[in-house]
């Protein structure tokens, strides 16, 4: 049985599938999918004051300053739906963010996606996003039924501004430099579990099932504790 009051982080490099898996898990577990990347893109699209401030960073593949992203996340976690647990995707990305998160909630589980660089680059350079509902597609592996159109909502698909080769490279560098060290931080706390995806063609369901297995093991352990 899956109890939903869990606070889960989906962790991994850009293009490791965090958003794809998190959006499927959210439907199964009934807890919200909180993606700071989606939040960033929404602010930019809506041309809010914050959106204007952060566009440059996001377009270049750099991290948005900690103060801004932390404030956005805290705001989101205060909404009632997040009180029942959540799946965090894209946060934390720096030590400072991890420490701030720790001050407000206890993280139950960190799922660390291990994906080789070649797979990441293939994925990101073929990724398509729905402009209306944010669903994620891929020209190679997750094609929409009708070209350029979202299966779910009929919206038009587009390529993300930061899915260009030079920006992908920068995002990977930023990940290695600022974000990857968090793996040791969470491993040290005993909450991190590894998942491996070495093949571009592995269907999302396979990985989602592995994650669900990890979650149910966690729940069994916490009942026994
Ligand atoms: P990716 O596919 O690279 O994992 P996301 O969709 O999670 O990308 O994020 C897109 C962009 O939004 C990042 O490159 C960064 O500029 C910004 N962003 C998202 N989350 C954070 C965060 N926690 N800290 C700083 N910047 C962030
Ligand atoms: Zn859509």
């Amino acid at each position: 049985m899956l109890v939903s009051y869990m606070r889960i982080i989906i962790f991994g490099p850009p293009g490791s599938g965090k958003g794809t898996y998190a959006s499927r898990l959210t439907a199964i577990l009934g807890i919200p999918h909180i993606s700071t990347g989606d939040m960033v893109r929404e602010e930019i699209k809506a041309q809010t004051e914050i959106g204007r401030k952060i566009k440059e960073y996001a377009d270049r593949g750099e991290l948005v300053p900690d103060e801004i992203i932390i404030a956005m996340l805290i705001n989101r976690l205060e909404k009632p739906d997040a009180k029942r647990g959540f799946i965090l995707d894209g946060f934390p990305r720096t030590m400072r963010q991890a420490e701030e998160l720790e001050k407000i909630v206890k993280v139950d589980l960190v799922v660390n996606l291990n994906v080789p660089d070649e797979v990441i680059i293939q994925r990101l350079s073929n990724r398509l996003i729905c402009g209306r509902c944010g669903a994620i597609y891929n020209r190679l592996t997750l094609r929409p039924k009708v070209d350029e159109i979202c299966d779910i909502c009929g919206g038009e698909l587009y390529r993300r501004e930061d899915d260009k080769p030079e920006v992908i490279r920068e995002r990977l560098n930023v990940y290695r430099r600022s974000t990857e060290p968090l793996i040791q931080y969470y491993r040290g706390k005993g909450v991190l579990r590894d998942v491996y995806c070495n093949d571009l063609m592995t269907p999302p369901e396979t990985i989602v099932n592995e994650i669900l297995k990890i979650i149910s093991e966690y729940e069994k352990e916490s009942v026994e504790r």
Side-chain angles (χ1 to χ4, degrees), residues 150-186:
C150 177
D151 293 351
I152 302 165
C153 78
E156 229 176 282
L157 306 185
Y158 74 100
R159 291 202 53 187
R160 259 170 59 174
E161 201 57 47
D162 58 352
D163 281 347
K164 299 181 192 134
E166 25 355 316
V167 185
I168 293 173
R169 230 169 298 129
E170 176 59 15
R171 284 158 63 204
L172 278 169
N173 288 339
V174 169
Y175 174 77
R176 297 271 126 79
R177 199 169 52 228
S178 310
T179 309
E180 204 168 36
L182 297 183
I183 293 175
Q184 291 314 321
Y185 174 79
Y186 285 116

Side-chain angles (χ1 to χ4, degrees), residues 14 18 36-37 41 58 62 64 90-91 93 97 127 160 171:
K18 299 185 296 288
T36 47
R41 281 182 291 279
E62 290 166 17
V64 167
F91 192 101
R93 261 173 153 98
Q97 293 178 18
R127 176 159 76 174
R160 259 170 59 174
R171 284 158 63 204

Side-chain angles (χ1 to χ4, degrees), residues 1-3 216 219:
M1 187 192 59
L2 294 168
V3 187
S216 57
E219 290 185 327

Side-chain angles (χ1 to χ4, degrees), residues 122-123 126-128 136-144:
Q122 282 278 12
R123 257 209 203 125
N126 289 289
R127 176 159 76 174
L128 296 169
I136 304 164
Y137 296 87
N138 190 291
R139 289 208 182 93
L140 299 178
T141 56
L142 268 179
R143 303 175 58 132

